[in-house]
Amino acid sequence: MGKIICAANQKGGVGKTTTAVNLAAALGHIGKKVLLADTDPQGNSTSGVGVDKRSCTVNMYDVMINGAKAKDAIVQTEFENLWLLPSTMDLAAAELELANLENRANKLKDGLASVRGEFDYIVIDCPPSLGLITVNDLSCADTVLIPIQCEFYALEGLSQLMNTVRRVKRQYNERLDIEGVLLTMYDGRLNLTQQVVEEVKKYFPRKVFKTVIPRAVRLSEAPSFGQPVLYYDKKSRGAKAYDELAQEIVKSKV
C-alpha cells in the first residue's frame, strides 16, 4: 500500500509545488515507484514534469467530479519511476461542484483507492487554499508535508492550516499525521533566516526536517524546462537537497 504525502500550505510562494515535483522525482530516482497527483487547478506540477495539459483528455477533475478511473488519467513521465495524475483549469470549478456532492470530502480517496497499491509513494500537490479540494487531499493522505519559506511572515496563517488538519483528522481521517516541516528558500548567511528557523522549531518541535532547501537559481529555472531540478542540473544544490529530503523521508517511520 503506497504512502500518500500531501504538500500543503495555503500561503502561496513557499515552494509547495517545487517541493511536490522535486520530492516525487527524487523518490523515483532512488528506486521508489511514485505517482505525482496534481490537485492545483493551475497545473504547475503537471507542466513541471513536462506534460502538456492540453494533451490530458482525462484529468484530476474527471477523477474527482465525474467518477473517472484514476488509471485512465495517469500518464507516465519521461523521468525515472515517476507517473503523473494531471490537473487542468477544469479543476477550478470543482470547489463549487464538490459542495453539492454526497461524501464530498472523500472523492479523491475513492479515486485513488484502485491505484494506491501500485505505487510506493503518492505525492499530492495541494492548491494554495483550504477549500474542499485541500480537504479531499488531507482526507486521503497519510501525512502532510508543510513547506515554509524562510521569511519574516513565515508562520503567518499556519494556525489556519493546522486547524484544518485537526478538523480533517477528527472528521475524516484519523490516521493523518505531520510528515514534517520543510524550510525552503534557505540562506544561512542571513540573521533573519536563523531567527525563522528557531521560530519554526518552537512552533513544530521535533517535526522540522534536517534537510533545508536553499534559495537557488537552478530550482527556479527548472520548471520552465519542464524538468525536476535533479534532471535539469543533477549537481546543483537544489538537486542535492531534494535527494537528501527523499532519503530522510524514506528512512522516517512516520
Side-chain angles (χ1 to χ4, degrees), residues 116-137:
R116 182 172 180 174
E118 298 177 19
F119 297 93
D120 297 308
Y121 289 91
I122 297 176
V123 179
I124 302 175
D125 182 19
C126 299
S129 69
L130 295 178
L132 279 170
I133 293 177
T134 298
V135 169
N136 265 266
D137 295 340

Side-chain angles (χ1 to χ4, degrees), residues 37-82:
D38 190 352
T39 66
D40 188 340
Q42 296 175 86
N44 290 337
S45 280
T46 298
S47 55
V49 292
V51 173
D52 184 351
K53 286 174 271 193
R54 294 170 296 183
S55 69
C56 301
T57 54
V58 183
N59 56 57
M60 182 63 80
Y61 173 84
D62 298 303
V63 172
M64 292 183 70
I65 302 298
N66 294 333
K69 294 180 179 178
K71 68 176 184 178
D72 294 331
I74 291 172
V75 295
Q76 187 170 4
T77 74
E78 62 184 271
F79 309 109
E80 189 176 9
N81 297 317
L82 182 59

Side-chain angles (χ1 to χ4, degrees), residues 30 43 58 71 99 109 117 144 146-147 162 166 171 175 185 187 189 201 208 243:
I30 61 175
V58 183
K71 68 176 184 178
K109 181 180 179 180
V144 54
I146 306 171
M162 296 312 298
R166 283 190 287 268
Q171 296 181 345
R175 73 179 185 281
M185 304 177 203
D187 187 343
R189 300 170 298 177
K201 285 182 176 178
V208 180
D243 176 66

